[in-house]
Amino acid sequence: MAFIHPSSLLPSSNPSYSFREGIKSSAPGIQEHRFSPYADNGGSTLGIAGKDFTIIAGDTRQSSGYSINTRYAPKVFRIGGDDDSGTGAKIILAVTGFAADGNALKERLDSMVKMYKYQHGKDISVKACAQRLATILYSKRFFPYYTQAILGGIDEEGVGALYSYDYVGSYEREQCRAVGAAASLIMPFLDNQVNLKNQYVPGSGVGHDLKAKAAEPLEQSHVEQLVRDAFSGAVERHIEVGDGLQMLIATKDGIREIYTPLKRD
Amino acid sequence: MNHFPHGWGRPRDDIYGPYDHTYLSHSQSSGPNQHTQQPAVTGTSVLAAKFKDGVVIAADNLASYGSLARFTDVKRLHKFGEHAILGIGGDVSDMQYISRILNELDIDENYGSTGNTLNAKNLHTYLSKVMYARRTKINPLWNAILVAGLDGVGRPFLSSVDLLGTTFSSPTLATGYGSYLAQPLLRKLAETEDEVANVTREKAEKAVREALKVLFYRDARSLDRFSIAVVTKQGIELMEDEQLEGQSWAFADRIKGYGTQVN
Amino acid sequence: MFRNNYDNDSVTFSPQGRIFQVEYAQEALKQGSVVVGIVSKTHAVLAAVKRNAEDLSSYQKKIVGIDTHLGVAIAGLSSDGRVLLNFMKQQSLSSRLTYGRAIPIERIVSLIGDRAQTNTQHYGKRPYGVGLLVCGVDESGPHLFEFTPSGMTQEMLACAIGGRSQMARTYLERHLDVFAGCSREELIKHALQALKESLSQDKDLTVENTSIGIVGWGGPDGAKGQPFKLFDGSEVAPLLAASGEGETAQDEMDVDT
């Protein structure tokens, strides 16, 4: 129902010569509700690449505003599996932001990877899949998928690979990345613990003489614990993060999943 | 006197007032085409809860036009096949459209020699694509939908989809006002999927009926007549003309706005 | 040169009520090598003899997995077959996408049937010169369908199409009664035996020229069955060995490894 503003019915001192110049239905002061095709469903994801593994994790809460839609809605997906359970998949995709767009993006990438296998008779490489995801995102440059994606797997050299994206497809390969509602809480933690930012060799000097600790590849069990710590920290400080933690670990043997409960408050 | 050529032959603003553009449909006015931007006749909450052998789903029989209780005998639960049922809230004309396309889908499926093999999970996937496709065209079906029934391996299935195409699933679900009022009450039944195994049909049905009552107390767009359905392996039991029982309005005496107190 | 005046296009009937272009297309699939399909109550199996156009070339693909529940064997013009197979792959993906359901076999077969039929009713079009055996499982069990260039499709208990397939069909007819109760291994054995029947004297089944596809049904409760598995190359050796094709197959295996 369009609301008619009383002032539009009164003789006006303003000249009104054409339809284009006429008073629009939404007069100032009246805010007409307009459909927005986007929503923010909260949640956070993170990815860390190791020397022969990649871990991508996300919480399982899905929310709308202050309401929790559900305590279990996965944000981390297997891409290119043989069937809907994802067996045989080698690539992991995680999406935060608008859940419906995230699902659409996942399914588009998944069917694209399946077609690649059908047409070429082999699995797509993580590098090629990462490039393809970028073109998918960019193809909707002017009506974007409202999702921040991270993609991971094992590259052609057997090394853990991780790619992170913005909404419209710019992407880069990284060692680690936190994305989503609690990204600003988790990312500094990862900078410090994975890339050893602001960590110095004790007794190596004073002031500018301090030697920075060099980042080295981390053990898988150590990374798993880092992920758990990152999320239990985020849960305390962010209302949109919680309920459960889903971790997908890609190695040369395929993808393994670990689920651990998080605080539900 | 308006001497500009594009003003010739038009009613004079100084006599008749400026032209009221709101009488024009949006598509004829300047600016982009617009589709449905708000619902007209609406249904309120839909509630549902899983139990160990199936799902209970309920919705009242009211269709409101703004604050007017416009239609009081509208059935908002729709069967699909043998083991799936959906409850629809939001715009009633869009609901009837959805009901129609699902009926067509059912007919198409029945052309095959094995009949309609789409289960509740398949139905939910399909509906979520329909809803998402329409939101992507900025022409949404203004509804919140719960799909209840059994999945491909005969387990209870309950999931929701809304006008944006957002989907989620949970042991208990409620749309609209019910997501604030009823869902916290229903969650006491089963917090997690594992706890569903301890919920009997009786417990689930009772909880849903109680939650409907709470909604009738507090949701001004709700009604005490409702439909409730139970889906199990045995099929769908649908009751379409139920009456809320055991109401107690004792609390209303002391609350301003419930009728008896004028100021 | 000309058989008659009514074979220049696929839209004109002959006075006898025949469409010669379609019949010629049926002949095209006899140019291809033989493929065999059999169903039991629990499994559906495809077996095919691959051919290489010349000694220097690779073998032409005869069996292709479309989805986890569905595979197809080709007889005839394999380039025409590929078009249909791509279409089937798209349809099965789209069914999984829109409904989250593996497409029922009957449904996908009728889709290619309809597609092939339109080619026989439009001027300037040509029927597909390919026959297919479609095997797969769905909620109602394992199925085998035959598809021909006319767009005709029919469900079969056992079927053989392609060049010299008559001998294989005779074998299948003779053993029809036992197929329903066959185990996976027995079914493969019968399929290979049927294949062998239609081979010419100087040829034998080898790891190079034999393809086998198998899919298993999970049961009426929707449990997962064995996904469609294509056996090609060295993977066929144990299957050949088990069905008494041991000698030749084993020899070649040793050479391989």
Side-chain angles (χ1 to χ4, degrees):
Chain A
M1 288 175 286
F3 292 98
I4 300 165
H5 195 267
S7 70
S8 67
L9 299 174
L10 295 172
S12 136
S13 53
N14 303 330
S16 171
Y17 297 122
S18 69
F19 288 90
R20 191 164 293 281
E21 287 159 7
I23 296 168
K24 297 293 188 295
S25 57
S26 51
I30 284 199
Q31 193 43 265
E32 205 179 312
H33 181 75
R34 199 173 182 288
F35 174 70
S36 160
Y38 292 120
D40 183 355
N41 299 111
S44 224
T45 58
L46 79 80
I48 299 174
K51 72 172 185 303
D52 56 356
F53 65 92
T54 297
I55 298 187
I56 293 185
D59 69 317
T60 63
R61 175 176 294 180
Q62 190 197 93
S63 52
S64 317
Y66 290 128
S67 298
I68 295 172
N69 284 342
T70 175
R71 299 189 188 282
Y72 187 74
K75 278 187 272 291
V76 192
F77 307 106
R78 277 163 252 247
I79 294 295
D82 298 327
D83 51 17
D84 27 310
S85 67
T87 42
K90 297 197 166 102
I91 292 172
I92 309 170
L93 171 74
V95 282
T96 62
F98 176 32
D101 271 353
N103 274 310
L105 181 65
K106 170 206 68 173
E107 287 182 358
R108 208 163 141 189
L109 187 68
D110 185 60
S111 41
M112 181 255 124
V113 169
K114 281 178 175 150
M115 276 315 279
Y116 183 102
K117 189 172 182 181
Y118 173 75
Q119 280 164 345
H120 298 89
K122 62 174 186 188
D123 288 319
I124 196 171
S125 66
V126 189
K127 189 181 173 177
C129 186
Q131 172 67 55
R132 191 65 179 84
L133 178 56
T135 57
I136 290 174
L137 286 164
Y138 193 78
S139 71
K140 276 175 70 71
R141 172 65 179 77
F142 298 109
F143 184 19
Y145 286 117
Y146 196 67
T147 51
Q148 274 191 293
I150 45 179
L151 186 87
I154 304 297
D155 72 9
E156 284 145 314
E157 270 77 56
V159 180
L162 178 72
Y163 295 84
S164 73
Y165 297 78
D166 77 351
Y167 300 107
V168 288
S170 27
Y171 77 113
E172 67 179 324
R173 186 170 171 175
E174 292 184 294
Q175 267 326 106
C176 67
R177 169 60 64 185
V179 158
S184 57
L185 276 61
I186 297 174
M187 199 63 219
F189 172 72
L190 296 183
D191 283 339
N192 182 247
Q193 290 294 309
V194 179
N195 292 326
L196 305 188
K197 290 283 155 62
N198 295 305
Q199 292 207 50
Y200 298 95
V201 181
S204 59
V206 185
H208 289 296
D209 296 334
L210 267 173
K211 279 204 180 65
K213 266 194 191 171
E216 275 172 36
L218 300 171
E219 285 302 312
Q220 189 179 315
S221 57
H222 180 71
V223 175
E224 281 173 31
Q225 196 51 47
L226 278 182
V227 171
R228 273 190 275 269
D229 290 348
F231 273 93
S232 30
V235 165
E236 292 294 330
R237 290 287 185 176
H238 202 114
I239 57 165
E240 289 173 3
V241 181
D243 294 332
L245 171 63
Q246 200 194 193
M247 251 195 278
L248 262 61
I249 306 167
T251 59
K252 64 174 170 28
D253 307 316
I255 296 171
R256 189 162 63 92
E257 177 166 352
I258 302 174
Y259 174 85
T260 37
L262 289 174
K263 283 172 74 173
R264 297 151 71 89
D265 57 3
Chain B
M1 146 103 196
N2 182 351
H3 55 272
F4 291 112
H6 56 219
W8 296 348
R10 294 200 179 167
R12 286 170 58 181
D13 286 358
D14 53 340
I15 293 174
Y16 299 100
Y19 186 78
D20 178 9
H21 294 275
T22 57
Y23 288 118
L24 275 179
S25 77
H26 286 292
S27 58
Q28 286 168 313
S29 68
S30 56
N33 283 338
Q34 295 187 357
H35 299 288
T36 312
Q37 299 296 339
Q38 57 237 269
V41 179
T42 58
T44 184
S45 325
V46 185
L47 313 180
K50 279 195 210 176
F51 59 96
K52 62 182 164 71
D53 311 306
V55 192
V56 187
I57 183 167
D60 70 27
N61 293 350
L62 178 67
S64 309
Y65 182 65
S67 56
L68 174 70
R70 184 65 183 81
F71 305 105
T72 54
D73 194 20
V74 173
K75 309 299 190 315
R76 299 195 286 125
L77 299 185
H78 301 258
K79 287 198 219 177
F80 181 81
E82 299 296 307
H83 298 289
I85 187 161
L86 59 156
I88 308 183
D91 193 279
V92 170
S93 64
D94 286 347
M95 173 184 84
Q96 288 168 347
Y97 168 75
I98 290 168
S99 169
R100 199 159 65 240
I101 58 168
L102 291 184
N103 191 39
E104 283 165 18
L105 177 63
D106 183 56
I107 291 169
D108 282 353
E109 278 290 307
N110 275 297
Y111 280 118
S113 61
T114 46
N116 184 352
T117 59
L118 290 170
N119 55 48
K121 197 178 176 189
N122 299 148
L123 171 65
H124 175 260
T125 310
Y126 173 69
L127 268 177
S128 71
K129 309 291 156 160
V130 172
M131 299 299 275
Y132 183 74
R134 287 289 294 261
R135 89 94 216 186
T136 303
K137 291 175 189 150
I138 321 290
N139 184 198
L141 294 168
W142 213 285
N143 301 103
I145 305 171
L146 297 187
V147 182
L150 303 177
D151 68 8
V153 288
R155 282 179 314 216
F157 175 87
L158 173 60
S159 199
S160 85
V161 56
D162 67 8
L163 73 167
L164 292 171
T166 315
T167 57
F168 50 90
S169 174
S170 167
T172 60
L173 283 175
T175 70
Y177 224 101
S179 68
Y180 302 109
L181 280 180
Q183 177 71 331
L185 302 169
L186 292 174
R187 276 183 181 152
K188 288 182 192 165
L189 262 188
E191 280 271 326
T192 62
E193 290 291 336
D194 297 338
E195 285 172 35
V196 172
N198 308 321
V199 182
T200 59
R201 174 191 164 148
E202 288 68 31
K203 260 163 81 179
E205 202 177 327
K206 188 162 171 253
V208 168
R209 283 172 187 267
E210 281 301 307
L212 275 172
K213 193 153 64 185
V214 172
L215 279 170
F216 183 57
Y217 288 147
R218 282 293 180 177
D219 177 1
R221 309 283 173 264
S222 67
L223 197 66
D224 54 353
R225 292 223 159 255
F226 64 96
S227 308
I228 187 166
V230 182
V231 196
T232 57
K233 277 208 171 81
Q234 280 71 50
I236 304 167
E237 247 176 86
L238 174 59
M239 295 148 275
E240 288 192 309
D241 201 19
E242 297 288 289
Q243 169 81 40
L244 279 183
E245 278 160 9
Q247 292 175 42
S248 166
W249 288 85
F251 70 92
D253 276 354
R254 285 162 284 122
I255 301 174
K256 205 167 140 185
Y258 263 99
T260 49
Q261 315 85 342
V262 217
N263 354 288
Chain C
M1 180 69 197
F2 291 112
R3 184 154 147 182
N4 57 52
N5 292 322
Y6 294 97
D7 67 354
N8 286 313
D9 59 60
S10 63
V11 300
T12 313
F13 279 109
S14 80
Q16 290 76 36
R18 297 160 65 177
I19 299 171
F20 286 108
Q21 278 299 324
V22 172
E23 290 181 24
Y24 299 163
Q26 318 261 32
E27 292 300 313
L29 66 107
K30 291 183 189 159
Q31 307 285 332
S33 57
V34 62
V35 292
V36 169
I38 314 178
V39 270
S40 71
K41 280 184 179 150
T42 54
H43 289 83
V45 61
L46 294 173
V49 180
K50 290 181 288 187
R51 269 203 315 221
N52 46 352
E54 46 180 315
D55 286 346
L56 297 172
S57 75
S58 61
Y59 285 83
Q60 193 59 244
K61 248 196 159 97
K62 294 288 281 181
I63 304 180
V64 176
I66 295 292
D67 202 334
T68 49
H69 72 300
L70 169 68
V72 178
I74 313 164
L77 281 179
S78 49
S79 43
D80 279 17
R82 213 168 48 239
V83 171
L84 281 170
L85 260 49
N86 286 342
F87 174 73
M88 289 174 82
K89 177 75 186 175
Q90 276 170 11
Q91 291 299 319
S92 89
L93 259 184
S94 112
S95 172
R96 285 202 187 266
L97 221 54
T98 39
Y99 303 105
R101 172 180 71 166
I103 195 165
I105 310 304
E106 183 191 26
R107 177 72 61 91
I108 197 165
V109 167
S110 78
L111 285 174
I112 50 168
D114 291 352
R115 209 177 136 105
Q117 195 282 143
T118 56
N119 281 357
T120 68
Q121 219 177 12
H122 289 275
Y123 191 84
K125 294 216 174 200
R126 149 176 95 69
Y128 290 107
V130 73
L132 303 178
L133 290 183
V134 181
C135 91
V137 293
D138 57 26
E139 293 200 344
S140 55
H143 298 282
L144 172 69
F145 282 87
E146 181 195 0
F147 161 89
T148 62
S150 62
M152 181 221 64
T153 60
Q154 56 187 345
E155 177 145 27
M156 307 294 282
L157 297 170
C159 187
I161 56 173
R164 304 171 55 87
S165 58
Q166 184 52 52
M167 257 94 82
R169 255 192 318 274
T170 311
Y171 175 89
L172 295 173
E173 279 161 18
R174 213 175 288 139
H175 296 81
L176 186 59
D177 300 339
V178 303
F179 293 152
C182 274
S183 70
R184 187 185 115 111
E185 284 68 29
E186 288 167 329
L187 216 55
I188 294 171
K189 215 166 161 176
H190 281 299
L192 288 175
Q193 200 56 48
L195 267 193
K196 213 179 167 208
E197 295 283 324
S198 60
L199 285 180
S200 57
Q201 289 293 320
D202 55 328
K203 274 177 93 177
D204 210 346
L205 294 179
T206 66
V207 283
E208 277 84 24
N209 72 5
T210 314
S211 276
I212 299 169
I214 310 157
V215 60
W217 189 42
D221 301 323
K224 274 214 175 77
Q226 294 161 342
F228 184 86
K229 170 90 175 100
L230 176 61
F231 295 86
D232 245 337
S234 58
E235 284 180 307
V236 208
L239 299 178
L240 282 176
S243 60
E245 297 296 314
E247 278 72 53
T248 47
Q250 207 55 55
D251 292 346
E252 311 219 16
M253 261 283 276
D254 293 340
V255 174
D256 261 10
T257 49

